[in-house]
Amino acid sequence: MTTLEIRDLHVSVEIENGTKEILKGVNLTVKSGETHAIMGPNGSGKSTLAYSVAGHPKYTVTSGTVTLDGENVLAMTVDQRARAGLFLAMQYPVEVPGVTVSNFLRTAKTAIDGEAPKLRHWVKDVKVAMSNLRMDAEFAERNVNEGFSGGEKKRHEILQMELLHPKMAILDETDSGLDVDALRVVSEGVNRAKESTDVGVLLITHYTRILRYIKPDFVHVFVDGRVAEEGGRELADRLEEEGYDRFLKVQA
Amino acid sequence: MSLLTDKATTHTDPSSLASGAAVPDVSRGARKTSFDVADFPVPHGREEDWRFTPVDRLSGLFTDHPTDGLGTGSEAASVTVQAPDEVLVSTLAPGDAPRGTALVPADRAAVVASAQTEKALHLTIPAEAELAEPVRLTVTGHGAGRRSNGHCVIEAKHHSKAMVIVTHEGSADHTGNLEVIVGDGADLTVVTLQQWDDDANHLGQHDALVGNSATYKHIAVTLGGAIVRINSNVRYAGSGGDATLLGVYFADAGQHLEHRSFVDHNAPHCTSHVTYKGALQGQSAHTVWVGDVLIRAEAEGIETYEQNRNLVLTDGARADSVPNLEIETGEIIGAGHASSTGRFDDEQLFYLQARGIPERDARRLVVRGFFADVVSKIRVPEVVDAVMEAIEIELSQATE
Ligand SMILES: Nc1ncnc2c1ncn2[C@@H]1O[C@H](COP(=O)(O)OP(=O)(O)O)[C@@H](O)[C@H]1O
Ligand SMILES: [Mg+2]
């Protein structure tokens, strides 16, 4: 049983003329096996939250805490966070020229587990995971994210989630840019990971359509750098009908 | 014909920006070559072909002096030759053909080295011979600042297949001319490894004459030395020749590593592919790449592509990258060039670290990835291993 706890998190970025506060006191608790949807309009700070938990150097935590089973996540380097069990499926995965997917996956697996995976099992695991995500075998020999279509990038992110077995996964707009078929395939991958590893999921999305495939236990509405409203699945349905206008008006 | 340009350049020569690649005022083909020392005054650094080079530190290589210790048995540099039995090893005096057929000195250093080399090493790979093992030349410098002149003629007779690996180590002020004649249908690979000590200076003119339907590959791997400048040039003796010029370099603090190439497309239906990639780290690490390609009017049906990529790992390093493409006929299959100099990308580092990979390993992965495509083109396992090992060492020094 793992708990990710975010308390009163304030985060700023450096801009041309000073600093800009983006997160303004975020509170959130995610436990193993739970799926939390974070929904909010563009620019509300969802990606900032994801990057801050993962430790992106661009974002400065000015106050608040993030803990994983009581351990201070904010004191860890980016790679230590990943090895502690955090995973971030990025909205914009990065190209790494000259590094093949297969080399990358093996290196990451070795780093996370602290030892190289048994080759025979590993090769099979990768093959099966790729085929489940409808990824061609030749994909493994391509360079990480180089020339990938939007859908391929997202599949590749979920492939990593399935193979690396994180305790907590933050999925940042994994649904954006996917057509219906791809959305279903990717969602199935997330659900497989949930079933097989009891991973806690923080599902960041702008739209409700992915929630038809991945059922959230909790929904948090994110507006202007903090959680504006929380509820169960029904909150998502309401957002589907009403959109975010209600929250933006309050803000204005 | 297709013209391809791809520019994502930060440190490009401004004059080359106007039309993609620069077309020099005077055709590259018109640049002076001569065996007469008097034709090349000592450069002051403002000349087109010396403008990036710290010439003030090279005066020891520009004087018209013989090799230090010549004839005493303790020359400034010694050369050992290890060759399969079929290879003929002899010497050539100035003017003895084929010496002078492929290489005419094109700058001050090359002309004095040529004039001061009474006996050029001559390696002949007989016609139709296929060497099972590479020919190995090892140039060992025996003292920083000691002057060394060298000239080597490699003749690969028609339809032979061979590889020559020239390794440079130790320290000296060395100018080495390499003259390569690739016979019709022959397939020759020349590898030049610069593994000098930190205080060595090395200038080299490597000229190849590529025969009818012959294949020539020149691979420069430059890691050591204070100032190293290798000019790898190609002309064709007939149609259908194929030339591949590859380079890998890694410059540390204070090093000046310069690679120039000139492919003179003077014959129809030939191809040339030039790929140089380098990484830089440390204060005032400086690399230079100047890639000249001239497509003469008679060079119909040729295809050429040249590219240079630089990866700047730290502040204070500088990479100059200048492609020059001169086209005198439109009747070609294609001509293109690409040049880029980029900073190490912290987003790549973040992505890899976010997958649990420690920073040091992530950096290695990115740098190795950067070199992956040029290294895969080398296709000589022992050279690939040496390059990868050297890159590992460079990177581990960086993080210590
Ligand atoms: N590195 C940055 N520099 C400046 N502004 C940023 C940076 N990152 C995010 N922002 C700003 O912070 C706000 C929230 O961005 P983001 O977290 O990407 O929102 P979301 O993911 O909800 O669309 C936006 O106004 C965005 O422009
Ligand atoms: Mg976002």
Side-chain angles (χ1 to χ4, degrees), chain A residues 18-43:
Chain A
T19 59
K20 174 181 173 187
E21 181 168 62
I22 302 174
L23 299 188
K24 302 168 179 173
V26 178
N27 291 294
L28 208 58
T29 304
V30 185
K31 298 198 162 91
S32 294
E34 295 178 353
T35 299
H36 294 243
I38 294 199
M39 304 192 60
N42 282 331

Side-chain angles (χ1 to χ4, degrees), chain A residues 51 56 78-79 82-83 87-88 90 94-95 97-99 104 107-108 111-112 144-145 156-157 160, chain B residues 345-359 361 365-366 368-373:
Chain A
Y51 277 130
H56 195 291
V78 175
D79 47 296
R83 292 198 297 276
F87 178 83
L88 168 60
M90 294 185 205
V94 182
E95 291 182 12
V99 178
F104 165 65
T107 307
I112 298 271
V144 171
N145 292 317
H156 180 232
E157 294 293 287
Q160 295 166 54
Chain B
D345 184 353
D346 290 331
E347 294 298 327
Q348 293 179 0
L349 199 59
F350 173 73
Y351 188 75
L352 296 172
Q353 282 189 266
R355 299 307 180 241
I357 302 169
E359 177 175 349
D361 296 345
L365 214 50
V366 171
R368 269 197 252 137
F370 169 77
F371 283 113
D373 58 342

Side-chain angles (χ1 to χ4, degrees), chain A residues 45-120:
Chain A
K46 304 183 298 296
S47 290
T48 300
L49 176 64
Y51 277 130
S52 300
V53 173
H56 195 291
K58 216 160 56 181
Y59 300 93
T60 310
V61 175
T62 52
S63 67
T65 58
V66 178
T67 57
L68 190 69
D69 288 334
E71 296 286 327
N72 181 5
V73 169
L74 299 178
M76 300 178 194
T77 61
V78 175
D79 47 296
Q80 283 169 342
R81 295 178 199 209
R83 292 198 297 276
L86 287 172
F87 178 83
L88 168 60
M90 294 185 205
Q91 187 175 357
Y92 303 108
V94 182
E95 291 182 12
V96 191
V99 178
T100 60
V101 167
S102 90
N103 182 15
F104 165 65
L105 293 174
R106 194 168 11 86
T107 307
K109 185 67 176 171
T110 304
I112 298 271
D113 289 2
E115 59 177 358
K118 296 270 175 299
L119 198 63
R120 216 154 45 88

Side-chain angles (χ1 to χ4, degrees), chain B residues 205-371:
Chain B
Q205 181 178 335
H206 297 186
D207 283 13
L209 186 60
V210 178
N212 221 308
S213 302
T215 303
Y216 173 61
K217 199 170 187 178
H218 181 277
I219 303 168
V221 177
T222 306
L223 305 160
I227 300 171
V228 175
R229 174 173 135 133
I230 307 288
N231 296 9
S232 176
N233 307 319
V234 170
R235 277 183 304 133
Y236 299 88
S239 70
D242 174 41
T244 303
L245 310 181
L246 304 176
V248 175
Y249 47 91
F250 202 126
D252 289 319
Q255 276 189 305
H256 175 98
L257 307 182
E258 179 166 342
H259 296 87
R260 288 170 173 261
S261 56
F262 174 35
V263 180
D264 186 347
H265 274 285
N266 59 337
H269 304 294
C270 295
T271 54
S272 64
H273 289 94
V274 180
T275 308
Y276 281 77
K277 282 196 151 191
L280 301 85
Q281 65 185 8
Q283 202 54 43
S284 71
H286 189 193
T287 66
V288 177
W289 174 80
V290 179
D292 295 334
V293 174
L294 167 60
I295 302 169
R296 294 183 192 263
E298 58 268 37
E300 293 189 355
I302 68 99
E303 187 171 5
T304 177
Y305 192 79
E306 60 167 348
Q307 63 164 322
N308 173 235
R309 311 267 178 205
N310 298 293
L311 180 61
V312 181
L313 299 173
T314 64
D315 288 334
R318 175 188 167 91
D320 287 290
S321 181
V322 188
N324 294 307
L325 190 53
E326 246 182 295
I327 305 178
E328 293 174 356
T329 172
E331 300 299 313
I332 60 173
I333 292 172
H337 66 89
S339 154
S340 68
T341 297
R343 301 268 331 193
F344 185 89
D345 184 353
D346 290 331
E347 294 298 327
Q348 293 179 0
L349 199 59
F350 173 73
Y351 188 75
L352 296 172
Q353 282 189 266
R355 299 307 180 241
I357 302 169
E359 177 175 349
R360 192 183 158 119
D361 296 345
R363 278 187 183 277
R364 284 182 186 193
L365 214 50
V366 171
V367 175
R368 269 197 252 137
F370 169 77
F371 283 113

Side-chain angles (χ1 to χ4, degrees), chain B residues 166-183:
Chain B
V166 187
T167 304
H168 300 89
E169 57 184 37
S171 187
D173 273 1
H174 177 71
T175 298
N177 292 334
L178 195 63
E179 181 163 2
V180 182
I181 299 144
V182 191

